[in-house]
Amino acid sequence: QSHEEYMKNIEQAREILKGNTREVQKMLFEEMQKLAEELRFEEAEEIKRKYILLDNFCSKSEVVSLELTFLKT
């Protein structure tokens, strides 16, 4: 992993922690599409795994958030 890739991953992690998951998902999806168009399928697969992990994280976070909202009312 290059320094540039490392810093990009750190920035994505910061955005996720800030709650900007949709923006990170959008960036990952666009990067995945670009790599696939360039026939760089192995790299696209790695980005796809990150995208799916983030999507699963968001789904679980929404469920917890809805449950907490329900419990407060």
Side-chain angles (χ1 to χ4, degrees):
Q1 182 179 32
S2 71
H3 179 70
E4 182 179 312
E5 290 171 339
Y6 175 78
M7 294 308 293
K8 185 177 178 182
N9 286 335
I10 294 295
E11 184 58 33
Q12 288 175 348
R14 284 184 180 150
E15 291 301 314
I16 291 167
L17 291 172
K18 289 181 197 175
N20 299 332
T21 55
R22 299 237 190 271
E23 185 63 32
V24 176
Q25 281 182 305
K26 181 181 173 190
M27 288 180 351
L28 289 172
F29 186 80
E30 289 171 356
E31 185 175 356
M32 180 179 61
Q33 292 293 329
K34 179 179 173 254
L35 290 168
E37 287 173 7
E38 294 172 359
L39 306 179
R40 296 164 59 188
F41 299 117
E42 292 83 8
E43 294 169 78
E45 179 63 29
E46 182 64 31
I47 301 300
K48 180 181 177 182
R49 277 187 244 140
K50 288 181 184 181
Y51 180 87
I52 291 170
L53 285 170
L54 183 56
D55 190 50
N56 289 338
F57 171 77
C58 291
S59 297
K60 289 178 184 177
S61 295
E62 287 177 14
V63 170
V64 171
S65 178
L66 288 173
E67 288 175 357
L68 290 175
T69 303
F70 179 71
L71 291 174
K72 288 180 182 179
T73 58

